[in-house]
Amino acid sequence: MKMEQSQDKESSVKEDQEVIYSDQSTMYKRTSSVDKTHTNHDEEKLGLCNGRAMTFLVLWYFFSFCTLFLNKYILTTLKGDPTLLGTMQMVMTTICGFIQMFLPCGLYVPVKREGKPPHFLRNMTLVGCTRFTTVFLGLVALKFVAVSFTETVKSSAPIFTVLIAWVLLRERTGIYVMLSLIPIMGGLALCSAYELSFNIEGFLAALGTNITECLQNVYSKMLISGEKFKYTPAELQFYTSVASVTIQIPTGYFLMDFSYVKRTLTSTMATALVMNGVFFHFQSITAYALMGFISPVTHSVANTVKRAMLIWLSVIVFGNPVTFLSGLGTVIVTVGVFLYNRAREYDQIKREMAIAYKNGTREELTA
């Protein structure tokens, strides 16, 4: 009997130890996930003050200029077909995205996956369709209106991003940040306000590409910064490119002038299209990598500043004429960015004070 009692005690102690160990492991898992969440929030608070975020921003700007330069070269000098250009960009993005999933190149930390997350197909199809729609409507706008008019319409991107971020992410934007967006949007509109040619079809296409691009960026931010499942930039790049190219190739079949493409397709053209696709891939994936560090609104502001810088780089490289409005717009964008940074700092301090006040009130009530 004593032997049985001692064995029962030992087994009960072992069971208790197992429960304690399992509870401790559960607590460890929970705390580690919480620590990761806090780390991500801290990184987002730092924003562009984070060294990696600033590196991704510079790379994003650099590859955007390379893509712009080759776009201009292919369409103007080589007289390439815009539909072929858009299709090749997405095809090369798909190929490079697949390779990048196995070769991070310092753009992200690789993660071992056990199966696909919930709603995987829906998420990838949605982002892929927005990527295709952005490219397609951009080509339609290019057909009816000048590039400068499209850029003027796209200057409203920050306000659309604020609205979409509020609907999808419940991210509230302070009044001072909202007001600081006005000079940023107005400055870019002035920068690109030369040779404007209004056309209702072109206007609707430019407005559509602007809204779908904002939706794509906000939804991508939600997937990259998800609490339960975080997509890596390479995963988001590859799978959405597959969804996009699945739609784009059949559409391109009806839009492309094959006889014209056959006449203009030389070895120089083919090389330029491949290089353009590679640059477009790195432009997209560095933008996704940057999304992990900043909010959708900050990303939209950075995109607006990028467009203003590209206008001036076009002036230097391509010899485009400089106007008084371009110079004035650049100054206004610069002032707007300064005001935006100050407004974000003010909102952050205000938010932290509100949280501290709530915590203090709760402690007084519990005491």
Side-chain angles (χ1 to χ4, degrees), residues 212-271:
T212 53
E213 187 176 8
C214 294
L215 176 61
Q216 173 198 329
N217 290 339
V218 174
Y219 202 84
S220 298
K221 170 66 177 178
M222 185 173 68
L223 297 178
I224 283 177
S225 304
E227 292 183 0
K228 294 182 179 178
F229 189 96
K230 298 180 190 296
Y231 289 85
T232 65
E235 288 174 331
L236 201 57
Q237 175 82 324
F238 172 66
Y239 291 119
T240 59
S241 296
V242 170
S244 178
V245 82
T246 303
I247 307 169
Q248 192 160 347
I249 289 178
T251 307
Y253 177 81
F254 293 102
L255 296 177
M256 202 178 299
D257 186 350
F258 285 96
S259 60
Y260 181 78
V261 169
K262 190 176 180 180
R263 290 197 309 270
T264 56
L265 190 59
T266 61
S267 59
T268 305
M269 173 71 80
T271 304

Side-chain angles (χ1 to χ4, degrees), residues 44-340:
E44 191 163 317
K45 280 182 182 179
L46 286 173
L48 293 176
C49 294
N50 186 300
R52 282 176 61 81
M54 183 56 69
T55 302
F56 291 140
L57 179 73
V58 172
L59 289 173
W60 181 35
Y61 280 17
F62 171 74
F63 288 120
S64 296
F65 174 72
C66 293
T67 305
L68 173 70
F69 177 82
L70 279 175
N71 282 347
K72 180 88 171 177
Y73 177 70
I74 291 167
L75 296 175
T76 306
T77 306
L78 300 180
K79 307 296 182 185
D81 183 75
T83 308
L84 176 63
L85 174 62
T87 305
M88 275 299 297
Q89 283 181 341
M90 206 53 64
V91 168
M92 290 304 302
T93 300
T94 306
I95 296 170
C96 294
F98 178 76
I99 297 170
Q100 197 97 56
M101 288 179 68
F102 303 97
L103 297 172
C105 299
L107 292 170
Y108 66 95
V109 178
V111 180
K112 290 184 178 180
R113 303 292 191 196
E114 295 180 0
K116 295 290 187 293
H119 311 300
F120 170 79
L121 188 61
R122 184 195 68 184
N123 290 333
M124 295 301 99
T125 302
L126 179 59
V127 179
C129 287
T130 55
R131 292 186 72 180
F132 161 75
T133 306
T134 301
V135 174
F136 175 74
L137 291 178
L139 293 173
V140 173
L142 193 65
K143 181 178 178 181
F144 289 101
V145 294
V147 176
S148 56
F149 182 83
T150 304
E151 290 300 319
T152 303
V153 174
K154 283 185 176 182
S155 64
S156 61
I159 197 66
F160 282 111
T161 303
V162 167
L163 294 173
I164 296 171
W166 178 73
V167 173
L168 293 182
L169 305 179
R170 294 298 173 192
E171 183 181 283
R172 295 184 178 275
T173 304
I175 184 64
Y176 293 109
V177 173
M178 291 279 286
L179 291 174
S180 70
L181 296 177
I182 296 173
I184 295 173
M185 294 185 295
L188 179 62
L190 287 174
C191 282
S192 52
Y194 54 89
E195 57 176 282
L196 297 184
S197 52
F198 183 81
N199 176 284
I200 188 63
E201 290 90 348
F203 171 74
L204 292 175
L207 186 63
T209 190
N210 188 27
I211 294 172
T212 53
E213 187 176 8
C214 294
L215 176 61
Q216 173 198 329
N217 290 339
V218 174
Y219 202 84
S220 298
K221 170 66 177 178
M222 185 173 68
L223 297 178
I224 283 177
S225 304
E227 292 183 0
K228 294 182 179 178
F229 189 96
K230 298 180 190 296
Y231 289 85
T232 65
E235 288 174 331
L236 201 57
Q237 175 82 324
F238 172 66
Y239 291 119
T240 59
S241 296
V242 170
S244 178
V245 82
T246 303
I247 307 169
Q248 192 160 347
I249 289 178
T251 307
Y253 177 81
F254 293 102
L255 296 177
M256 202 178 299
D257 186 350
F258 285 96
S259 60
Y260 181 78
V261 169
K262 190 176 180 180
R263 290 197 309 270
T264 56
L265 190 59
T266 61
S267 59
T268 305
M269 173 71 80
T271 304
L273 287 170
V274 171
M275 287 181 62
N276 178 268
V278 172
F279 285 136
F280 182 76
H281 160 75
F282 281 108
Q283 173 189 332
S284 302
I285 200 168
T286 50
Y288 282 140
L290 181 62
M291 282 179 191
F293 295 89
I294 59 178
S295 70
V297 179
T298 303
H299 192 275
S300 185
V301 170
N303 200 16
T304 304
V305 174
K306 183 193 75 174
R307 289 192 176 114
M309 288 181 64
L310 290 179
I311 288 171
W312 277 99
L313 283 172
S314 298
V315 168
I316 297 168
V317 175
F318 302 122
N320 293 344
V322 182
T323 64
F324 171 75
L325 291 178
S326 297
L328 179 62
T330 304
V331 173
I332 293 174
V333 167
T334 306
V335 173
V337 170
F338 173 77
L339 294 174
Y340 175 78

